[in-house]
Each structure stands twice: as structure tokens, then as C-alpha cells.
């Protein structure tokens, strides 16, 4: 294990107290709970008894049960496509009633793109005197600090240097900044994001229209813009379609049905007081967003979606895609482990949602590669032997219905997001699904060896695009003469620039 992790275990309890996430709700606790041990023991005992009585029957029962479960999951996805109408857009409150808004952007090794992010944040259409922005940086990241300090920034956007500490993760940095947030509402953006300038106004209007007062978070749709549409690679097109299926069909459908869901890692809009009350983000979970969505539900809060998107670029080549996907799947494993410790606290609907999102995502990723390998082997061996493949009808039905439901989600989602998705993408999708199994195996290994290691995605500036009409009013454009500003809370942090 890397030397930087020497004191990590001894720091868990201290950091959990500092950030307010109880130990049994944190990924820092790696042991099984009593309830998990009992459930696992009962399941293993039942399988052992069935195996001793009728081994062949047990195998058939497991195959049938798994097949029926995946057919039900396919039907569920189709249902979400049907019910996922665009949410109603609430009217923005009058200017004087707009709440204060805090924008957090946690950056690490992002010197290349920090200027691009600042320029994009400066286009946000919101009264500057109602905005607080913090570029949350690590104290040792001298290059990004220097780039952020030299970038011309609007008056409301400051550089915030988080104090050194472990683990070195995005949620730890966000929690450090959360203590200094002054906004009634708060949103999070990533280094590569390009949010719609009207996104904050739509979110503020939705919160203002919440008559029940139980809406804690709104998720904006994340859309992938390939670096070059004409030359988009196989991974980029499949990644964009996967995002479209999730943010344009599945999450809106679950929202319409009043169910919780795993949040995306960016463009979440929170009520700041609620976010503090639930302890902020779990610093030990590498998909802190997925965990937080279910933690809010567990505490009695509700989630929603908005329509104004945030555009992102795909991770790029395979060597960048694999670490990102590995971290997501590892974080899903952490999240499922945390929220299955006391599953009844989620309630029937919350538990159902956990199973069909996080649980189904993990199961699908694990079985994709094996299923395709089995099918290919059966076809090739039968062809070489000159016989008809002996493939069970139920298995074929599961593959066809599962693939069709996935294609439908991607196609409808891509149409709503305005990105291309055609027959060639559908035919290439199984190869992408097989790669998910590779990422799943990598994630399982990393969960054992390096559970809290954060696989950083490398970001590069987007190539220049054709000039677009100004979308923000004059008061929101970049102030070229603004002086460098450093958050007073950490003004004494070591600075690498003269």
C-alpha cells in the first residue's frame, strides 16, 4: 500500500466526526454489519441445503431466477422510458426573491482546464451579488493554484485552498468548502463542465415551487459532447449514449414515480441547510454522489430533476475510460454495501430503487462479458461441429429483450439529448457492455486492495468551437480587470506563486 495511506485507518474516526457522516453510513467501515452477516448466512444455508437435496434442480432454479430477474429489469427500463416525460419547468422567482447560491468546483491537477472552467462559469445568468463561487483546490497542487490565481475571474469567484488531509478525494475537498458556503442553495461542478447559463435560475424556481418543503436536491441532465462529432470514437459514442439513457430517460422516470436514485457527480443542486444536516458527502466513498442520493432519502428528503443541461466531454481513449469506469463501479459497490447494512431504513420504495439502480448496474456489468462469451462460444462450437446451437429459449429471450430495452433507452435518450445514435451504434453496443465486465473485475480487485484510492480522470481543454451568441447578460461576463482573490478562510495557505 502507498505510503500516503499509512495513517488513513487511524484518521477515519476523526474525519467521520469532523464531517458528520455516522460510521455505519460511511464507506470507511468495511466490515459487514450484523444484519448483513445474518442475511448472507441464511442465503448460503438455503443454497447449501438445496444443493444437498437436488444439485441439478438448484442449478436450473438459479438460472431461471436470474433470467426472470433480468427480464423484469428490462421491463422496468421500458416502463421508465414511457413515463419519463420532461418535468414541468417552474417560472423563475422575481429578481429580488432569488436566493443566494454557492457554486463549488473541486479541482485537482487541472491547471490545463481551470481557465476554461472559469470562462464557462462566468456565463451563468444569475445576479452576481447573489453568487458565491469557490474553486476548491488542494494545498499541494501548486500548478492548479497558480493557474486559478492568474485566471481573470468574476468578483464572486474565489480560490479556496483546502487544508491537507486524507483521504485525497473530491468529497473531502467539497466538505472542507461546505463549512464556508454562504448560499441558501448550493451546486457542484466538475473541471470539464459547461453548464447551461439558465440552470441556476431553473433550480431556484423549482425549489421555490416545492410546497411540501421536502425537496432536497435537483439533478441536472449531463450530456456528453464528443471532442469531434465527425471523428468520435467507439468509446465516446457509447459513453454519450449511456449518459443519455441515464439522464434523459431513467432518472426522469424514477423522479416521476417518486423514487430515489443515485445522483450524478456534478450539477447537483442542494438546499445547503439540508446538505449540512445529513453530514455532507462521505469522504471515503469514491462515488459520493450515488451514496448521497440514498442518504437523503433515508433521512426523509426527496430528489428531483431539472431540464437545463450541463455539457461534458468523454474521458477519451481506453486508458482513460477504464480507470473512470472502475472508480464508478467500485463506488457503486461501496454504496450498495453501505445502504444494505440496514436496508429497512430505506423503506420498500427506497430498497427497490437501490436494487434496480445500484444493484442492477453492478449485476449487469458483472454478467455482460460472461453472457456474450457463452453465446459466442456456443455459436462457434456448433458451427464448427455443423449442428444447430443448443441454446435455451429463455436465455435467448433474456438476451434479446435485455439488449432491446438497452437500445431503446439509449435511442430515446439520445434523441432527447440531441446526440447521434444509430444502427451502427446499436450493433457495437455489446462490445462496450463486455468492456464493462472488465471494469467490474478491476473494480472488485481495487475494492479489496485500494478501497479509497481515487482514480483521477485526465481532462484537456476542449478545442475551440464556432462563436456563439452571448447567452449571459453583461453583468455576468468575465471582469478582465478583477484582481486575484483568495478565500480569506485559507489566505495563509502555502502559495507557490510570487
Amino acid at each position: 500500500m502507498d505510503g500516503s495511506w499509512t495513517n488513513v485507518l487511524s484518521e477515519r474516526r476523526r474525519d467521520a466526526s469532523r464531517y458528520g457522516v455516522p460510521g455505519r453510513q460511511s464507506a470507511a467501515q468495511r466490515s459487514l454489519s450484523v444484519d448483513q452477516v445474518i442475511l448472507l448466512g441464511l442465503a448460503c444455508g438455503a443454497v447449501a441445503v438445496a444443493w444437498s437435496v437436488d444439485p441439478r434442480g438448484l442449478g436450473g432454479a438459479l438460472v431461471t431466477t436470474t433470467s426472470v430477474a433480468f427480464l423484469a429489469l428490462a421491463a422496468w427500463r421500458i416502463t421508465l422510458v414511457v413515463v419519463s416525460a420532461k418535468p414541468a419547468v417552474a417560472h423563475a422567482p422575481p429578481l429580488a426573491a432569488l436566493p443566494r447560491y454557492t457554486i463549488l468546483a473541486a479541482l485537482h491537477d487541472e491547471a490545463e482546464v481551470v481557465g476554461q472552467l472559469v470562462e464557462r462559469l462566468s456565463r451563468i445568468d444569475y445576479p452576481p451579488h447573489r453568487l458565491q463561487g469557490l474553486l476548491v483546490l488542494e494545498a499541494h497542487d501548486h500548478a492548479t493554484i497558480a493557474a486559478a490565481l492568474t485566471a481573470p475571474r468574476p468578483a464572486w469567484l474565489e480560490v479556496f485552498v483546502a487544508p491537507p488531509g486524507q483521504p485525497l478525494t473530491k468529497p473531502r475537498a467539497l466538505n472542507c468548502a461546505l463549512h464556508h458556503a454562504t448560499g441558501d442553495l448550493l451546486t457542484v461542478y466538475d473541471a470539464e463542465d459547461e453548464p447551461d447559463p439558465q440552470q441556476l435560475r431553473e433550480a431556484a424556481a423549482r425549489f421555490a415551487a416545492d410546497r411540501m418543503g421536502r425537496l432536497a436536491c435537483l439533478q441536472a441532465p449531463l450530456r456528453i459532447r464528443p471532442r469531434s462529432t465527425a471523428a468520435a470514437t467507439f468509446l465516446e459514442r457509447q459513453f454519450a449514449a449511456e449518459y443519455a439513457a441515464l439522464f434523459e430517460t431513467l432518472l426522469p422516470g424514477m423522479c416521476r414515480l417518486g423514487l430515489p436514485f443515485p445522483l450524478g457527480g456534478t450539477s447537483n443542486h442542494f438546499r445547503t441547510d439540508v446538505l449540512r444536516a445529513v453530514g455532507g458527502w462521505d469522504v471515503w466513498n469514491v462515488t459520493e454522489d450515488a451514496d448521497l442520493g440514498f442518504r437523503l432519502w433515508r433521512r426523509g428528503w426527496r430528489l428531483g430533476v431539472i431540464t437545463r443541461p450541463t455539457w461534458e466531454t468523454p474521458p477519451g481513449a481506453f486508458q482513460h475510460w477504464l480507470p473512470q469506469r472502475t472508480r464508478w463501479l467500485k463506488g457503486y459497490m461501496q454504496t450498495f454495501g453501505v445502504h444494505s447494512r440496514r436496508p429497512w431504513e430505506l423503506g420498500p420504495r427506497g430498497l427497490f430503487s437501490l436494487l434496480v439502480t445500484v444493484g442492477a448496474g453492478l449485476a449487469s456489468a458483472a454478467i455482460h462479458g460472461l453472457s456474450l462469451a457463452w453465446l459466442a462460444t456456443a455459436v462457434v462450437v456448433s458451427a464448427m461441429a455443423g449442428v444447430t446451437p443448443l441454446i435455451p429459449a429463455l436465455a435467448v429471450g433474456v438476451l434479446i429483450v435485455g439488449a432491446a430495452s438497452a437500445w431503446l433507452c439509449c435511442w430515446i435518450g439520445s434523441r432527447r439529448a440531441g446526440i447521434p445514435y444509430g444502427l451502427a451504434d446499436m450493433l457495437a453496443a455489446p462490445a462496450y457492455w463486455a468492456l464493462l465486465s472488465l471494469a467490474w473485475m478491476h473494480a472488485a480487485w481495487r475494492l479489496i486492495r485500494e478501497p479509497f484510492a481515487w482514480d483521477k480522470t485526465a481532462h484537456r481543454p476542449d478545442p475551440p468551437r464556432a462563436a456563439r451568441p452571448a447567452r449571459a447578460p453583461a453583468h455576468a461576463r468575465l471582469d478582465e480587470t478583477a484582481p486575484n482573490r483568495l478565500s480569506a478562510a485559507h489566505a495563509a495557505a502555502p502559495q507557490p506563486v510570487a
Side-chain angles (χ1 to χ4, degrees):
M1 184 173 291
D2 189 271
S4 62
W5 293 96
T6 303
N7 297 320
V8 166
L9 299 180
S10 63
E11 291 183 358
R12 288 185 196 171
R13 181 171 297 179
R14 185 187 66 187
D15 281 344
S17 174
R18 179 189 306 166
Y19 298 117
V21 178
R24 65 181 178 82
Q25 295 182 17
S26 172
Q29 178 181 321
R30 300 186 63 194
S31 59
L32 295 176
S33 68
V34 174
D35 306 286
Q36 287 173 320
V37 171
I38 293 175
L39 291 174
L40 186 60
L42 290 174
C44 292
V47 170
V49 170
W51 177 266
S52 64
V53 173
D54 185 4
R56 183 173 298 180
L58 173 63
L62 290 177
V63 170
T64 301
T65 301
T66 303
S67 299
V68 171
F70 275 96
L71 285 174
L73 180 62
W76 170 248
R77 288 173 176 166
I78 294 173
T79 300
L80 293 180
V81 170
V82 174
V83 303
S84 59
K86 290 290 184 182
V89 180
H91 296 292
L95 189 62
L98 283 174
R100 280 190 57 80
Y101 229 115
T102 294
I103 298 173
L104 301 183
L107 311 177
H108 184 216
D109 292 338
E110 300 288 7
E112 287 190 72
V113 298
V114 65
Q116 173 182 272
L117 176 65
V118 168
E119 191 274 332
R120 289 171 173 177
L121 293 181
S122 72
R123 301 179 196 155
I124 289 176
D125 179 16
Y126 207 81
H129 68 283
R130 308 296 290 170
L131 278 176
Q132 176 202 28
L134 298 176
L135 300 176
V136 188
L137 312 179
E138 299 290 346
H140 68 273
D141 189 4
H142 301 330
T144 306
I145 292 176
L149 289 174
T150 56
R153 289 169 280 112
W156 52 266
L157 187 58
E158 302 178 20
V159 174
F160 180 96
V161 180
Q166 293 291 342
L168 191 62
T169 59
K170 171 185 170 183
R172 191 197 76 91
L174 292 176
N175 275 338
C176 291
L178 177 60
H179 292 294
H180 301 274
T182 61
D184 303 299
L185 303 177
L186 180 148
T187 190
V188 177
Y189 292 124
D190 281 345
E192 75 277 21
D193 285 356
E194 184 177 4
D196 186 290
Q198 296 288 321
Q199 191 179 107
L200 268 61
R201 287 182 177 268
E202 182 185 357
R206 285 290 305 281
F207 279 115
D210 174 33
R211 296 180 180 178
M212 300 297 293
R214 304 307 299 169
L215 181 63
C217 178
L218 292 166
Q219 174 68 60
L222 306 182
R223 295 177 181 171
I224 301 300
R225 180 193 293 114
R227 299 182 190 278
S228 173
T229 303
T233 66
F234 156 74
L235 281 177
E236 289 176 342
R237 293 178 70 92
Q238 294 296 326
F239 191 82
E242 185 180 23
Y243 258 51
L246 177 63
F247 289 100
E248 309 291 341
T249 64
L250 302 184
L251 297 193
M254 298 190 73
C255 176
R256 193 171 181 85
L257 295 174
L259 296 172
F261 49 82
L263 298 172
T266 175
S267 306
N268 327 120
H269 297 258
F270 300 96
R271 283 179 49 184
T272 309
D273 58 341
V274 174
L275 183 58
R276 288 194 175 114
V278 300
W281 296 268
D282 181 2
V283 303
W284 302 100
N285 193 315
V286 298
T287 51
E288 76 293 338
D289 41 7
D291 165 76
L292 183 53
F294 288 101
R295 185 146 41 88
L296 287 167
W297 174 271
R298 186 186 294 269
R299 297 285 291 272
W301 299 98
R302 297 297 177 262
L303 312 177
V305 296
I306 54 178
T307 61
R308 298 281 182 172
T310 293
W311 288 93
E312 296 185 328
T313 52
F318 179 77
Q319 64 267 28
H320 301 302
W321 175 89
L322 182 60
Q324 185 185 66
R325 179 60 62 182
T326 295
R327 176 174 62 81
W328 289 356
L329 288 171
K330 183 174 72 171
Y332 265 35
M333 294 173 186
Q334 291 178 316
T335 298
F336 192 84
V338 167
H339 291 283
S340 61
R341 289 172 187 161
R342 293 174 176 263
W344 60 85
E345 291 184 354
L346 288 169
R349 299 203 305 162
L351 179 58
F352 171 79
S353 181
L354 180 71
L355 292 174
V356 298
T357 55
V358 178
L362 289 172
S364 299
I367 206 171
H368 278 319
L370 293 174
S371 299
L372 293 173
W374 167 75
L375 178 63
T377 301
V379 171
V380 170
V381 170
S382 299
M384 294 177 63
V387 298
T388 303
L390 296 177
I391 302 176
L394 180 59
V396 175
V398 170
L399 290 174
I400 292 175
V401 175
S405 68
W407 286 332
L408 178 65
C409 289
C410 289
W411 183 65
I412 296 295
S414 296
R415 285 177 60 87
R416 293 175 181 175
I419 62 174
Y421 189 75
L423 180 60
D425 300 302
M426 293 182 182
L427 296 177
Y432 183 78
W433 301 338
L435 290 178
L436 293 178
S437 294
L438 176 63
W440 186 95
M441 290 186 289
H442 195 198
W445 176 251
R446 293 292 299 278
L447 182 66
I448 298 171
R449 296 299 301 271
E450 298 177 294
F452 311 120
W454 188 279
D455 292 301
K456 177 72 173 63
T457 303
H459 297 122
R460 294 168 294 164
D462 291 343
R465 298 194 299 273
R468 292 174 296 182
R471 295 178 294 178
H475 63 66
R477 291 199 297 266
L478 201 62
D479 178 7
E480 298 290 347
T481 63
N484 291 333
R485 284 167 290 277
L486 186 66
S487 171
H490 289 90
Q495 296 303 315
V497 293

